Amino acid sequence: MTAARSTKAEVEARRETLLDIIEAGRPMTVRQVFYQATVRGLVEKAESGYGKVQNDLVLMRRAGELPYDWLADNTRWQRKPRTFNGVEEALKATAAFYRKSLWTDADAYVEIWLEKDALAGVVYPVTSMYDVPLMVARGYASLSFLHSAAEAINDLDVPVYIYHLGDFDPSGVNAGEKIEETLRELAPDADITFERIAVTPEQIADWDLPTRPTKASDTRAKNFGEISVELDAIEPNQLRALVQETIELHLPPEQFEILKAAEESERDIIPRLVGKIARKSR
């Protein structure tokens, strides 16, 4: 039996609610929007429901109803060196983007590892604010990527804390285990604490996350269990809060505020240098 087509009024109401969802959680991936739509009963929890959400978001952006930058897409980007018309312009850009290292005097080194490239734009605002590396593994990380990461941490003289976020399914869990195993092998001198912070069985229960059947075709599914949960199922603000709380375990908030104040003060020095250069060039 074919499901009845949505009426024009139903489609408009659905899109209005989708806009509310995204405005509250932006930036979000399309898949995150889909999961939040299923929680609210807007669409069915199936690929057909995902298709409706995806189509709605395309039409809403083209109609100017949904700002393009409210949706995160980290899979498309341009490679181009940044250039300037002169030293003065370069110094002004430096002033705008100057960041003071927050971890120089910290007694720990922290990295956030993310299984999904598409979610990088969702988490990056937090890791960027706290000057923490965001490592996008794209499932099973390549040996070259892991070797580069291991080289960076092997010679550190502080404990290393690596926090992994990935799907709760046989491949997602195993991918995290392989990352930990390989980093320990390639960085034998590092004091590594590796922890999976999402998705966990406790989060599935406590946050009532939408589930899907574990794929029987996955060779690791035998002893895993019947349900799986995608990382995208976590509400984006909840996901960002989780990352922020994890980072703050190692960087006291008062230290963050002191260093940000120092950063602002030092940033003000650069425009004064620009003024001096401009006067000398006249």
Side-chain angles (χ1 to χ4, degrees), residues 94-153:
T94 300
F97 293 103
Y98 172 72
R99 294 288 304 275
K100 188 175 181 65
S101 175
L102 300 181
W103 298 86
T104 300
D105 300 320
D107 58 1
Y109 174 79
V110 177
E111 288 182 351
I112 301 295
W113 282 65
L114 188 64
E115 178 185 350
K116 294 190 170 182
D117 193 36
L119 286 170
V122 176
V123 174
Y124 182 70
V126 177
T127 58
S128 173
M129 180 175 66
Y130 284 93
D131 191 23
V132 168
L134 176 61
M135 314 292 281
V136 181
R138 297 179 180 176
Y140 285 90
S142 72
L143 185 59
S144 296
F145 182 62
L146 290 169
H147 181 266
S148 296
E151 279 193 320
I153 66 176

Side-chain angles (χ1 to χ4, degrees), residues 225-243:
E226 296 181 357
I227 65 164
S228 294
V229 174
E230 291 192 76
L231 183 61
D232 312 68
I234 298 178
E235 196 275 328
N237 287 327
Q238 204 165 32
L239 186 64
R240 285 187 283 265
L242 173 66
V243 172

Side-chain angles (χ1 to χ4, degrees), residues 12-281:
E12 290 177 352
R14 183 175 71 223
R15 292 178 182 174
E16 186 174 332
T17 305
L18 289 176
L19 189 62
D20 290 341
I21 290 171
I22 302 168
E23 184 172 18
R26 66 186 189 201
M28 299 176 68
T29 65
V30 174
R31 199 147 194 91
Q32 283 182 311
V33 178
F34 160 65
Y35 274 115
Q36 294 309 307
T38 65
V39 169
R40 291 163 175 76
L42 295 178
V43 297
E44 59 275 19
K45 192 172 68 175
E47 284 306 307
S48 57
Y50 178 80
K52 289 177 184 177
V53 170
Q54 189 176 45
N55 184 63
D56 281 343
L57 299 184
V58 168
L59 296 177
M60 290 165 68
R61 279 176 285 178
R62 288 180 172 172
E65 299 168 0
L66 171 64
Y68 278 83
D69 59 0
W70 284 17
L71 291 178
D73 181 2
N74 213 54
T75 61
R76 307 284 187 271
W77 55 285
Q78 180 190 67
R79 293 174 175 86
K80 182 184 181 299
R82 186 165 189 185
T83 56
F84 303 94
N85 292 321
V87 174
E88 185 177 343
E89 184 180 330
L91 284 172
K92 286 180 179 178
T94 300
F97 293 103
Y98 172 72
R99 294 288 304 275
K100 188 175 181 65
S101 175
L102 300 181
W103 298 86
T104 300
D105 300 320
D107 58 1
Y109 174 79
V110 177
E111 288 182 351
I112 301 295
W113 282 65
L114 188 64
E115 178 185 350
K116 294 190 170 182
D117 193 36
L119 286 170
V122 176
V123 174
Y124 182 70
V126 177
T127 58
S128 173
M129 180 175 66
Y130 284 93
D131 191 23
V132 168
L134 176 61
M135 314 292 281
V136 181
R138 297 179 180 176
Y140 285 90
S142 72
L143 185 59
S144 296
F145 182 62
L146 290 169
H147 181 266
S148 296
E151 279 193 320
I153 66 176
N154 196 46
D155 296 327
L156 294 175
D157 56 5
V158 294
V160 176
Y161 294 86
I162 296 176
Y163 296 101
H164 184 261
L165 300 95
D167 290 346
F168 182 77
D169 62 18
S171 294
V173 172
N174 185 250
E177 293 170 345
K178 288 298 182 182
I179 289 171
E180 177 181 8
E181 177 186 319
T182 307
L183 287 178
R184 291 190 186 280
E185 175 191 341
L186 298 177
D189 297 329
D191 178 7
I192 299 174
T193 298
F194 189 99
E195 183 180 348
R196 178 184 177 85
I197 59 170
V199 177
T200 67
E202 293 75 20
Q203 290 165 349
I204 296 170
D206 294 345
W207 297 345
D208 194 24
L209 298 178
T211 64
R212 58 172 171 78
T214 299
K215 293 179 180 178
S217 57
D218 194 318
T219 57
R220 301 173 186 84
K222 183 177 180 182
N223 299 313
F224 185 80
E226 296 181 357
I227 65 164
S228 294
V229 174
E230 291 192 76
L231 183 61
D232 312 68
I234 298 178
E235 196 275 328
N237 287 327
Q238 204 165 32
L239 186 64
R240 285 187 283 265
L242 173 66
V243 172
Q244 181 170 339
E245 290 164 7
T246 300
I247 294 172
E248 287 181 350
L249 293 173
H250 306 283
L251 186 70
E254 61 272 16
Q255 182 181 347
F256 175 71
E257 294 303 326
I258 291 170
L259 288 173
K260 292 302 287 183
E263 178 183 294
E264 288 297 324
S265 176
E266 292 172 6
R267 184 182 284 124
D268 290 340
I269 295 172
I270 301 176
R272 292 201 289 272
L273 291 175
V274 173
K276 287 181 180 179
I277 291 173
R279 285 193 294 274
K280 287 181 179 180
S281 63

